[in-house]
Amino acid sequence: MERPKVRTEALNAWYGTNHALKNLSMDMSEHAITAIIGPSGCGKSTFIRCLNRMHELVPHAKTSGKVLLDDTDIYARGIDAVSIRRKVGMVFQKPNPFPTMSVYDNVAAGLKLNGMRNVEKLDRAVKRSLEQAALWDEVRDSLFKSGMSLSGGQQQRLCIARALAVEPEVILMDEPCSALDPIATAKIEGLMTNLKEQYTVVIVTHNMQQAARVADYTAFLYLGELVEYGETTQLFENPNNELTERYITGKFG
């Protein structure tokens, strides 16, 4: 494995008294795609929300253990959660462009929030982000139309562009293709592969074929525990754990 960009050490997470994650320790490699698979309710989304401190926004939620970003514990005292979320961006399951904003303003929103006011810099950043999200050619003539006027697949790429605009180091994707058709899904998968050249990408997916297609490494979670983690090809073709084999062959889940 390449140098880990993100590492968890004995990570636990709770919703009130519900112990959702149990002592997860794993390294996520820089410039690679790590997929998190497992049945519904196993803790996949909770896990990636812990990686940028979004879990703590849920009432009565708490964590223990460590999440290290370049060897810095993001939960250490004095670490600003907002600054962590700038470095570790999130793309959600359902496309969620800001409904009252244009395509341009959706992408520029984070930059403006961070104080950027120079129009030329904003223009360059918006164009760069839309190009990285493979959307520029489709929207270059409709930048000032509502973001909600785009198709579902375009809206999801717009949300990816919005996340990229603030130049994060890690991109988290929580089932980014679950609401999309096969053509839009293929575009997002191609985009993920391109993004890993510059970013560390962690995706949650219910689609095991998708994990096999795009991920360099795959982690299988079950009932809040890490059952198996390794190179994707090895995990799918020759899993070490019987539970992993049963899941990937469709015997449960």
Side-chain angles (χ1 to χ4, degrees):
M1 178 179 280
E2 297 290 324
R3 184 177 78 89
K5 179 71 175 178
V6 182
R7 170 181 291 162
T8 65
E9 296 180 357
L11 178 64
N12 289 267
W14 291 265
Y15 296 95
T17 59
N18 177 24
H19 196 176
L21 290 179
K22 301 167 185 173
N23 292 309
L24 261 68
S25 296
M26 59 186 280
D27 293 352
M28 283 145 279
S29 183
E30 189 167 34
H31 302 306
I33 299 173
T34 300
I36 314 296
I37 64 170
S40 295
C42 71
K44 302 186 299 293
S45 294
T46 300
F47 176 71
I48 65 165
R49 285 167 181 263
C50 288
L51 300 184
N52 74 343
R53 293 186 55 173
M54 287 195 69
H55 178 67
E56 67 192 50
L57 299 176
V58 178
H60 311 299
K62 63 179 180 177
T63 60
S64 70
K66 291 183 177 181
V67 176
L68 303 170
L69 177 64
D70 287 331
D71 299 321
T72 298
D73 183 5
I74 68 170
Y75 285 93
R77 186 172 296 177
I79 299 291
D80 177 44
V82 174
S83 69
I84 293 299
R85 293 178 198 130
R86 288 195 194 109
K87 292 180 180 179
V88 185
M90 174 78 86
V91 177
F92 296 95
Q93 182 173 358
K94 185 179 178 183
N96 60 343
F98 298 132
T100 61
M101 290 187 184
S102 66
V103 170
Y104 182 101
D105 286 335
N106 260 278
V107 180
L111 297 168
K112 291 179 177 179
L113 197 63
N114 291 341
M116 186 182 289
R117 293 291 180 266
N118 183 292
V119 174
E120 288 184 4
K121 286 184 178 179
L122 285 169
D123 287 349
R124 285 197 298 269
V126 168
K127 183 174 186 288
R128 170 186 56 78
S129 303
L130 288 168
E131 286 175 339
Q132 285 185 305
L135 188 57
W136 172 254
D137 289 341
E138 297 169 42
V139 301
R140 63 192 304 169
D141 296 323
S142 52
L143 291 175
F144 298 100
K145 291 183 180 178
S146 168
M148 299 300 290
S149 68
L150 304 179
S151 70
Q154 289 174 325
Q155 286 184 25
Q156 190 64 300
R157 281 181 284 148
L158 177 62
C159 294
I160 293 171
R162 186 175 67 197
L164 295 174
V166 295
E167 300 187 72
E169 299 171 26
V170 180
I171 305 289
L172 309 175
M173 297 185 173
D174 190 357
E175 297 192 51
C177 303
S178 65
L180 305 181
D181 62 54
I183 293 173
T185 294
K187 287 186 177 181
I188 299 285
E189 290 181 0
L191 175 56
M192 288 181 205
T193 303
N194 291 336
L195 289 176
K196 75 176 182 179
E197 295 177 10
Q198 293 179 259
Y199 305 95
T200 300
V201 182
V202 183
I203 67 165
V204 164
T205 180
H206 264 110
N207 185 330
M208 284 181 282
Q209 290 76 22
Q210 180 175 78
R213 284 192 298 265
V214 305
D216 301 288
Y217 302 96
T218 297
F220 169 50
L221 270 58
Y222 184 64
L223 298 179
E225 297 183 359
L226 178 61
V227 175
E228 188 166 347
Y229 179 44
E231 292 187 4
T232 298
T233 303
Q234 185 273 324
L235 186 139
F236 278 96
E237 294 181 359
N238 188 28
N240 293 320
N241 190 291
E242 183 185 352
L243 195 62
T244 310
E245 183 174 11
R246 289 179 58 214
Y247 180 71
I248 63 178
T249 55
K251 291 178 181 173
F252 77 98

